[in-house]
Amino acid sequence: EMEHFVRLDQVLEARVVVDNIQKILNSSSCNSSNRNYDSVISAEQRKVMNEVISESNDAKQLLFDMDNDDGWILASNKKNIIVHYRNEEGSPLQTVKTHTIFENSRSKEFVRLVAIMNEVQLMPNWFPKGIMKESDILAEPSKYSMVFRFTMSFGLLPISPRDSVSFGKGFHLPHRNAVLIMSKPMTESKYCDKIGRAH
């Protein structure tokens, strides 16, 4: 059941299954007959469980951040598009969140919107102010995830163009009738021997 939800990228549903598995394994009756998880769960299954825990924690945190403005600074509220940012402790970078509601949008329009985010190679064509110069996909480990690289140029001396590699993933949230899309920068990936060269 867990692997079924993982294939569908329904990470919160997969987390419920993982939590139930862990409760059973940690129960006194199970502990008395199986002193370690290896006798019940393979190393590969344990790895998948750990990935589900990590990804579901990220998804829950992102959902909390989207629903909560504590610690966020309002940057803009124009044309029903609300932008907040916050300074991240120990990092020179800021986290940005944007929120809007698409009124009376039809399924066809939603698919077009998601396609914009999925077509990584076309991002330089629509990215604001033309500062994104290149973008390409390094790896696509699953239907709703990818590792991608992009180059930004701000046109300001002495700042030279900057490359960044990010991991993007979409999660289907059927109980919310929603899709959660997250992206985060990375310095290494199990899907690439080196950042910049895909398997």
Side-chain angles (χ1 to χ4, degrees), residues 159-182:
I159 302 174
S160 60
R162 295 285 188 256
D163 283 341
S164 179
V165 175
S166 293
F167 177 71
K169 181 150 188 171
F171 299 107
H172 182 206
L173 307 178
H175 63 289
R176 287 185 174 227
N177 192 27
V179 175
L180 175 67
I181 301 172
M182 69 170 68

Side-chain angles (χ1 to χ4, degrees), residues 89-109:
E89 187 176 347
S91 171
L93 301 177
Q94 294 175 327
T95 298
V96 178
K97 71 171 181 174
T98 305
H99 175 84
T100 192
I101 296 174
F102 296 93
E103 301 285 355
N104 303 318
S105 61
R106 297 186 298 267
S107 298
K108 187 176 181 181
E109 292 163 340

Side-chain angles (χ1 to χ4, degrees), residues 5-199:
F5 286 129
V6 168
R7 281 194 300 274
L8 295 175
D9 283 312
Q10 295 181 6
V11 68
L12 298 183
E13 285 72 13
R15 177 61 182 267
V16 171
V17 177
V18 168
D19 289 345
N20 287 336
I21 291 171
Q22 290 185 321
K23 282 178 189 174
I24 293 169
L25 292 175
N26 290 329
S27 69
S28 57
S29 60
C30 184
N31 282 337
S32 62
S33 58
N34 299 295
R35 289 296 177 184
N36 61 63
Y37 291 163
D38 293 339
S39 62
V40 181
I41 297 176
S42 70
E44 185 60 32
Q45 289 171 320
R46 171 59 57 187
K47 183 179 175 184
V48 172
M49 288 174 65
N50 288 336
E51 288 176 357
V52 166
I53 291 169
S54 176
E55 289 185 352
S56 62
N57 285 344
D58 288 345
K60 288 178 181 179
Q61 183 62 50
L62 183 55
L63 288 171
F64 175 81
D65 286 340
M66 293 303 293
D67 293 336
N68 189 322
D69 292 337
D70 290 347
W72 293 88
I73 300 167
L74 179 65
S76 175
N77 187 353
K78 297 177 182 176
K79 298 181 180 179
N80 203 30
I81 300 173
I82 305 169
V83 181
H84 288 84
Y85 73 91
R86 72 179 176 199
N87 299 310
E88 296 297 337
E89 187 176 347
S91 171
L93 301 177
Q94 294 175 327
T95 298
V96 178
K97 71 171 181 174
T98 305
H99 175 84
T100 192
I101 296 174
F102 296 93
E103 301 285 355
N104 303 318
S105 61
R106 297 186 298 267
S107 298
K108 187 176 181 181
E109 292 163 340
F110 177 75
V111 169
R112 287 175 176 167
L113 176 65
V114 172
I116 288 175
M117 302 302 294
N118 193 47
E119 298 290 342
V120 171
Q121 295 91 334
L122 300 179
M123 281 185 178
N125 295 338
W126 58 263
F127 202 84
K129 301 188 184 295
I131 61 174
M132 184 180 290
K133 302 304 180 186
E134 296 178 34
S135 58
D136 60 309
I137 297 171
L138 301 180
E140 294 182 271
S142 74
K143 184 176 182 180
Y144 299 111
S145 64
M146 66 177 67
V147 179
F148 58 96
R149 175 181 54 211
F150 56 91
T151 302
M152 310 281 274
S153 178
F154 299 94
L156 300 171
L157 294 175
I159 302 174
S160 60
R162 295 285 188 256
D163 283 341
S164 179
V165 175
S166 293
F167 177 71
K169 181 150 188 171
F171 299 107
H172 182 206
L173 307 178
H175 63 289
R176 287 185 174 227
N177 192 27
V179 175
L180 175 67
I181 301 172
M182 69 170 68
S183 173
K184 56 185 177 181
M186 59 196 316
T187 56
E188 61 182 25
S189 169
K190 65 181 180 181
Y191 305 113
C192 304
D193 294 327
K194 293 181 179 179
I195 290 299
R197 187 176 69 196
H199 282 162

